[in-house]
Amino acid sequence: KAGVTQTPRYLIKTRGQQVTLSCSPISGHRSVSWYQQTPGQGLQFLFEYFSETQRNKGNFPGRFSGRQFSNSRSEMNVSTLELGDSALYLCASSLFGPQETQYFGPGTRLLVL
Amino acid sequence: SQQGEEDPQALSIQEGENATMNCSYKTSINNLQWYRQNSGRGLVHLILIRSNEREKHSGRLRVTLDTSKKSSSLLITASRAADTASYFCATDYSTLTFGKGTMLLVSP
């Protein structure tokens, strides 16, 4: 089986712009979770989608949003980028959710200038 | 906020030695998982231990769980240079919540 893929792998944006990141889960996996990783805050949960529905959301401002499509692929969007949004964004997939093994993608490294 | 907290923050050992990392958490859990991350890449799942289990082995890895103390430990035996990575515990209270990790450096 192919692993979790994330595109793009690297991204440079400027403050005020918006960005869309994509995640393709392992075939058959219906749960996709997103995390933000920074040196200061570590791994922070953003949101989890299951069968196109957002099941959980972390403590992030409304500028962070996401969605999941019928083929389980997921996108997350960050609008009005701030310098502090510079981070590694990781997505993870599993069959049913966080109570089982999560399979992570390689991440998208976002730099906001 | 972090549910799990790893200790120590950093650990430096020689090849062949054992490495022990600890994790403490705050709330009830269903399962506790350990992950490894190599230098800013994606996380790799190592082991999952359920709340009704006390110990689990996988190759050179041994994980213990003490739900009364809300703590877990990861032991890597006979460490290799390739074990150099950051190790995270994760608890699944409602979502999967990670600690800040232990950076392990194994020197040849």
Side-chain angles (χ1 to χ4, degrees):
Chain A
K1 273 187 182 177
V4 178
T5 58
Q6 291 186 245
T7 56
R9 291 293 310 279
Y10 304 92
L11 208 47
I12 300 176
K13 292 286 188 179
T14 55
R15 278 180 298 176
Q17 288 186 311
Q18 75 165 17
V19 67
T20 299
L21 311 181
S22 181
C23 173
S24 292
I26 290 173
S27 177
H29 285 189
R30 295 162 65 187
S31 170
V32 174
S33 298
W34 288 89
Y35 297 86
Q36 181 197 65
Q37 186 177 30
T38 60
Q41 297 300 315
L43 276 154
Q44 304 265 352
F45 170 76
L46 281 158
F47 22 68
E48 186 227 348
Y49 287 87
F50 182 83
S51 292
E52 302 179 66
T53 299
Q54 185 182 89
R55 284 204 295 202
N56 283 295
K57 189 177 192 304
N59 189 25
F60 278 81
R63 301 186 296 108
F64 291 81
S65 63
R67 59 179 175 168
Q68 187 180 32
F69 302 95
S70 58
N71 62 357
S72 293
R73 189 177 70 85
S74 177
E75 289 182 346
M76 66 163 282
N77 184 276
V78 188
S79 62
T80 320
L81 284 166
E82 301 177 359
L83 296 179
D85 297 332
S86 295
L88 180 66
Y89 290 87
L90 294 162
C91 82
S93 77
S94 64
L95 283 168
F96 300 116
Q99 295 183 17
E100 55 186 9
T101 299
Q102 302 294 296
Y103 295 86
F104 280 82
T108 293
R109 188 166 294 281
L110 172 64
L111 177 61
V112 182
L113 302 175
Chain B
S1 63
Q2 254 68 31
Q3 158 75 313
E5 294 292 337
E6 291 89 345
D7 170 63
Q9 290 187 333
L11 182 59
S12 182
I13 60 174
Q14 300 289 317
E15 267 191 328
E17 294 181 338
N18 294 342
T20 300
M21 289 158 265
N22 302 296
C23 168
S24 59
Y25 57 93
K26 298 174 184 173
T27 63
S28 299
I29 60 171
N30 296 301
N31 309 304
L32 187 143
Q33 303 182 42
W34 285 89
Y35 288 82
R36 183 187 76 223
Q37 184 180 35
N38 289 87
S39 191
R41 299 183 183 178
L43 278 72
V44 174
H45 180 261
L46 295 175
I47 200 162
L48 181 152
I49 186 165
R50 304 195 185 282
S51 59
N52 61 355
E53 296 177 309
R54 292 296 167 258
E55 187 170 311
K56 204 162 183 180
H57 296 254
S58 177
R60 294 184 295 113
L61 306 180
R62 172 179 167 253
V63 167
T64 62
L65 179 62
D66 187 334
T67 53
S68 66
K69 295 181 179 178
K70 292 187 168 58
S71 68
S72 175
S73 69
L74 170 67
L75 168 67
I76 304 174
T77 59
S79 296
R80 305 166 182 167
D83 295 327
T84 294
S86 291
Y87 292 82
F88 298 87
C89 69
T91 53
D92 63 355
Y93 177 58
S94 59
T95 61
L96 198 60
T97 307
F98 288 82
K100 289 202 171 184
T102 293
M103 291 181 61
L104 173 65
L105 173 63
V106 183
S107 302

